[in-house]
Amino acid sequence: MKHVNRFLVLACLCPTVGVAQEAEPGGIFFTFDFSQEIEGSTDRDLVSEEAEDGFISTTSLQFEAVTETRTQRLAFGLGTDLRVDEDGFTLDDNTVDLAYTRTSADAELEISAEWNRADISFLRDITDFIGDDGVITLPDDIDELTGSGFRNTSTFAASLTWGETAPVGYSLGVSVETLRYEDASVALLDSDSASLDAGVRLDLNEVTTANVVLGFERLEEVGEAAENTQSLSAALTFARPLGDLTTRVTATRDDDDETYWAATLERSFAVPGGNFEGALGVAQDEVGDAQVTARLAYERDIPSGLISISAERDVGAGASSSATILQASYERDLSPVSDIRFGFDFGQSEEFDTDSTIATGGVSVSYGHALTPLWELNVGARADARDDDGLRTNSGTVFLTLDRVYSWRP
């Protein structure tokens, strides 16, 4: 009954709109994104112990209300996925978020809060962790995200920067996150984490900028002692005609008074028809061994299309694990109303002390066609694989998706 009530509340917040309108900046406007997907798959959950084949119908509903002026923006969003399969009806990926931004000529304040509830059994591949910016961020608990149950996360973040037009600028940031599991089929630890950072920016001359950031982090897991870390990061950025060059050094200290170092060299280039970013560095892991870190990203516009490639190996100073992420995509317009897209993604998390790894990846192809100026149809197929310390599972999926975005002003 609670699920039905949630859906009714969401539906009441989204009045029927006959014709979608483009939301222009300023004032108050609403958007309602409707997506209907039907997919058939083999071993959809990628769980080694049991293969679950079948068809799934997913109705995704996203609602956002925004009010903004020249200096302020307030956005409220709701989202949910209504799934229907052989096991019945489920509400998944329920999200509530609120964001506020205030800007002036010399300062900016950002505040955000979000709550999300997701079914663990559907967190199957790396694409489930793609953020709004298109970047994959692997969660700390990815090694345990198998089986059934729910993953509830609540986050709050606030940041303030000022002195942006002055030779010296300052920044403050704080974030709090709670992670709770419900009805999980395996033992998962609830946790609370918090972070605080303060930074200073110095414009040394017209082309050189220095940034210093001092940070504090605290992690508390149920049944475990709290972990506290402090970090100090210093960076020099040199503005070059084709892109910035940045050198960065970070020192991290833990509760055992151990200090770990990391250093990177970063460079961005504006190349003909696209952009390139690269970084190379080294970081000490929790036992003091040197680990190589690297990042490459390339994006290029081609006639009637786009190519993007990225690769990253991330290891934080004093970290106990590494994350490796690969992404590639090719998009091309076949006609004014149709397009095709090929995609590849791979992600791997490795624990240094146990050498245990979990990897997941997939390839996909999809064809999109604009049925009308407002309705978009996509059909495609995807192949996924997961390797959990040698236990391999594979899944094949075919899907059909119908999308419609409504936007209007009161």
Side-chain angles (χ1 to χ4, degrees):
M1 188 64 180
K2 292 181 179 179
H3 291 168
V4 175
N5 290 338
R6 290 175 187 166
F7 174 65
L8 290 176
V9 170
L10 180 60
C12 291
L13 288 174
C14 306
T16 302
V17 178
V19 178
Q21 304 173 8
E22 290 294 329
E24 299 178 356
I28 301 174
F29 63 90
F30 304 93
T31 58
F32 176 52
D33 190 347
F34 165 83
S35 175
Q36 175 61 52
E37 181 179 66
I38 299 175
E39 66 175 40
S41 62
T42 61
D43 197 8
R44 170 61 176 81
D45 298 340
L46 287 178
V47 177
S48 302
E49 293 79 3
E50 181 181 359
E52 295 187 2
D53 305 341
F55 288 88
I56 300 174
S57 172
T58 304
T59 303
S60 297
L61 305 173
Q62 304 289 331
F63 169 79
E64 185 179 43
V66 176
T67 176
E68 62 180 341
T69 66
R70 294 178 58 186
T71 60
Q72 298 183 80
R73 186 179 192 273
L74 178 65
F76 171 73
L78 294 172
T80 190
D81 286 351
L82 290 76
R83 300 188 192 275
V84 179
D85 57 16
E86 61 273 9
D87 296 326
F89 170 84
T90 305
L91 277 180
D92 184 27
D93 201 17
N94 303 301
T95 301
V96 181
D97 60 79
L98 183 67
Y100 173 75
T101 303
R102 182 179 178 88
T103 59
S104 68
D106 197 53
E108 180 176 74
L109 170 67
E110 294 184 326
I111 301 174
S112 64
E114 179 178 348
W115 174 82
N116 176 264
R117 174 182 170 88
D119 191 333
I120 294 174
S121 63
F122 284 96
L123 298 176
R124 60 165 184 173
D125 56 60
I126 294 302
T127 55
D128 287 313
F129 303 105
I130 297 179
D132 294 336
D133 55 1
V135 177
I136 294 176
T137 303
L138 295 180
D140 294 336
D141 58 348
I142 189 173
D143 293 346
E144 291 96 11
L145 292 183
T146 59
S148 61
F150 292 92
R151 181 174 182 263
N152 302 294
T153 57
S154 300
T155 59
F156 171 82
S159 64
L160 175 64
T161 59
W162 68 98
E164 295 187 338
T165 60
V168 181
Y170 307 91
S171 65
L172 286 174
V174 61
S175 66
V176 178
E177 178 181 279
T178 62
L179 175 61
R180 299 289 183 268
Y181 298 99
E182 182 180 337
D183 300 328
S185 59
V186 294
L188 299 173
L189 296 179
D190 296 341
S191 65
D192 297 291
S193 60
S195 66
L196 174 67
D197 60 74
V200 177
R201 188 205 77 252
L202 302 172
D203 293 336
L204 302 180
N205 54 49
E206 293 182 354
V207 298
T208 307
T209 302
N211 285 275
V212 179
V213 179
L214 178 63
F216 303 88
E217 295 184 7
R218 181 178 179 87
L219 172 64
E220 295 184 56
E221 293 184 327
V222 174
E224 303 289 339
E227 300 178 9
N228 299 281
T229 58
Q230 303 87 43
S231 63
L232 179 63
S233 175
L236 278 178
T237 300
F238 304 92
R240 309 300 299 167
L242 295 179
D244 292 344
L245 171 66
T246 301
T247 61
R248 191 184 312 275
V249 177
T250 301
T252 301
R253 190 172 186 176
D254 61 16
D255 287 333
D256 298 325
D257 291 332
E258 296 285 347
T259 301
Y260 305 93
W261 295 87
T264 59
L265 179 65
E266 307 167 9
R267 182 66 197 270
S268 62
F269 288 97
V271 297
N275 296 285
F276 173 84
E277 294 182 2
L280 183 64
V282 64
Q284 285 184 303
D285 60 22
E286 66 175 356
V287 296
D289 293 336
Q291 300 286 340
V292 175
T293 64
R295 184 181 76 254
L296 293 173
Y298 175 71
E299 188 174 278
R300 180 178 177 83
D301 293 316
I302 60 175
S304 302
L306 177 68
I307 295 176
S308 63
I309 302 172
S310 65
E312 181 177 4
R313 185 176 192 267
D314 181 49
V315 181
S320 61
S321 63
S322 67
T324 302
I325 297 170
L326 304 175
Q327 282 181 286
S329 67
Y330 169 72
E331 304 174 34
R332 184 177 180 84
D333 295 332
L334 301 179
S335 73
V337 295
S338 63
D339 62 80
I340 191 168
R341 183 184 187 278
F342 299 91
F344 166 79
D345 59 77
F346 170 84
Q348 176 176 288
S349 175
E350 178 183 2
E351 295 289 336
F352 296 136
D353 55 349
T354 62
D355 291 328
S356 63
T357 62
I358 180 171
T360 178
V363 293
S364 64
V365 58
S366 63
Y367 169 79
H369 185 81
L371 301 176
T372 72
L374 304 175
W375 289 93
E376 176 80 18
L377 175 69
N378 284 274
V379 295
R382 179 178 176 88
D384 293 288
R386 179 182 177 119
D387 189 312
D388 193 346
D389 276 338
L391 295 176
R392 297 186 178 181
T393 55
N394 300 279
S395 173
T397 303
V398 293
F399 59 86
L400 181 150
T401 305
L402 191 63
D403 293 293
R404 172 73 151 88
V405 177
Y406 300 86
S407 61
W408 73 96
R409 294 179 180 275

